[in-house]
Amino acid sequence: MKPKVALIAGPTASGKSDLAVRLALMVRARGQDAVVINADSAQVYADLAVLSARPDAAEMQGVPHRLFGTWDGAQACSAADWAAAAKAEVAAAHATGALPILVGGTGLYIRTLLDGIAPVPPIDPAIRAAVRALPVDEAYRALLIEDPARGARLAWTDSARIARALEVVRSTGQPLAAWQRQLSGGIGDAIDLHAAILMPDRDWLYERCDRRFALMWQNGACAEVRALLDRELDPDLPVMRAIGVPEIRDFLQGRANEADSQAAGQQATRRYAKRQYTWLRHQPPAAWPRVTYENSIDSEKIAMLFQV
């Protein structure tokens, strides 16, 4: 019998963490331990407790939580880095008889853990530096010539993915898609996965995004960004590009007033939720239940979704 893993995926502000804790407590009440494992690319960073809405001790309700605030912002956490750590946490939970509950909305993280990673060789540092120095429009035009299939799939503003695809084809001589067809190391075939995707009403979700960002602003988000700026980290690091950081930075550095910065942060959060919503609607397997709700899921539905 394959070991069971639960997965709760959903857009930001959809209540994933609360549901994960409720599931863990339900499992515990039936005699089995459970561990919540983060699958959110912002909540991995120690520097973003407020801006990532990382659950605090009260919200965890005594349930063990793993990979929350594990990475220092000076170290980028790639999908491969996270997947390796998550794989170890899943194995550790199973070794003690606990149910691992993955929770998050970062599709690349989830896909890498389940399906594996492409064995792309190390990128030549000189090629990487040259690619990353290109203006995004120039890099995009180059990608359309050197890897037209990948270029056609990307928006010309998607600087990170454009740079990655271009450096791979230039360094290895093969497009990224060729490497991705050789995925290895995923745990999907070795586990009994019970997944649910939260797809709340969009108007309800966007209102929650706005309200949550306003609360973040009031409860330490500006101090959190000021601390990041004081560290003088590379502005291209993921932690410096996380939702809310650029918008609050503009306020702290006098380029925008408080109202405009807060509105920009709320808009960035809504746009991110919309992208997650689109990915979660179309990319995961059709067999994964899509759950529509407004504020809560009752215990009977939780038990039915996850077969606990």
Side-chain angles (χ1 to χ4, degrees), residues 7 23 25 37 44-45 67 70 72-73 97 109 151 159 187 235 237 280-281 308:
L7 168 63
L23 173 60
L25 294 174
I37 302 171
V44 300
Y45 292 109
L67 304 186
T70 305
D72 182 87
Y109 276 21
S159 58
I187 68 171
L237 283 167
L280 290 164
R281 179 181 293 278
V308 297

Side-chain angles (χ1 to χ4, degrees):
M1 181 182 296
K2 295 179 181 179
K4 182 184 292 188
V5 174
L7 168 63
I8 301 172
T12 187
S14 61
K16 304 180 296 293
S17 293
D18 174 68
L19 181 57
V21 169
R22 291 170 58 203
L23 173 60
L25 294 174
M26 180 179 294
V27 169
R28 180 185 292 175
R30 300 188 181 190
Q32 182 184 10
D33 288 334
V35 176
V36 175
I37 302 171
N38 172 48
D40 179 280
S41 61
Q43 290 186 343
V44 300
Y45 292 109
D47 312 75
L48 296 178
V50 177
L51 277 174
S52 71
R54 197 165 74 218
D56 59 25
E59 291 166 327
M60 293 180 187
Q61 298 188 55
V63 175
H65 281 57
R66 304 287 186 253
L67 304 186
F68 288 84
T70 305
W71 271 261
D72 182 87
Q75 178 188 6
C77 176
S78 70
D81 294 332
W82 175 85
K87 186 175 181 179
E89 293 292 353
V90 168
H94 285 150
T96 63
L99 173 68
I101 304 172
L102 297 162
V103 58
T106 303
L108 181 59
Y109 276 21
I110 295 167
R111 191 169 68 239
T112 301
L113 175 64
L114 297 179
D115 300 337
I117 60 174
V120 180
I123 302 300
D124 183 311
I127 291 176
R128 169 162 288 169
V131 168
R132 300 300 168 104
L134 292 173
V136 64
D137 57 341
E138 186 176 335
Y140 185 61
R141 287 195 298 270
L143 184 63
L144 288 173
I145 295 170
E146 299 175 47
D147 183 358
R150 178 67 57 173
R153 293 174 54 189
L154 298 177
W156 75 269
T157 54
D158 194 345
S159 58
R161 289 185 175 87
I162 290 168
R164 176 59 176 166
L166 188 57
E167 70 184 19
V168 167
V169 72
R170 287 187 174 180
S171 184
T172 71
Q174 295 189 63
L176 188 56
W179 295 106
Q180 291 176 335
R181 287 192 289 269
Q182 305 174 45
L183 295 177
S184 62
I187 68 171
D189 291 338
I191 61 171
D192 179 15
L193 184 67
H194 295 255
I197 300 175
L198 307 187
M199 304 292 286
D201 175 78
R202 291 203 188 205
D203 289 339
W204 177 87
L205 180 66
Y206 294 162
E207 189 277 330
R208 275 178 62 96
C209 288
D210 287 350
R211 179 157 38 93
R212 191 177 73 171
F213 194 84
L215 289 172
M216 289 174 176
W217 191 283
Q218 298 168 19
N219 293 302
C222 291
E224 198 166 72
V225 174
R226 189 180 299 279
L228 278 171
L229 295 174
D230 288 345
R231 296 185 66 188
E232 298 183 350
L233 298 177
D234 184 337
D236 288 331
L237 283 167
V239 74
M240 299 303 295
R241 294 184 283 107
I243 302 296
V245 173
E247 293 78 16
I248 293 175
R249 179 198 60 209
D250 287 347
F251 165 68
L252 295 176
Q253 295 179 342
R255 289 192 292 271
N257 62 38
E258 179 176 341
D260 288 346
S261 292
Q262 184 169 315
Q266 290 171 324
Q267 183 181 54
T269 305
R270 294 193 303 272
R271 286 175 174 169
Y272 181 56
K274 182 179 180 180
R275 292 196 301 271
Q276 290 178 302
Y277 208 102
T278 299
W279 189 90
L280 290 164
R281 179 181 293 278
H282 299 292
Q283 295 301 317
W288 293 9
R290 272 65 170 173
V291 181
T292 301
Y293 68 102
E294 287 191 354
N295 48 33
S296 66
I297 302 176
D298 61 33
S299 297
E300 184 176 343
K301 178 168 278 190
I302 293 174
M304 179 181 67
L305 283 171
F306 299 102
Q307 299 180 26
V308 297

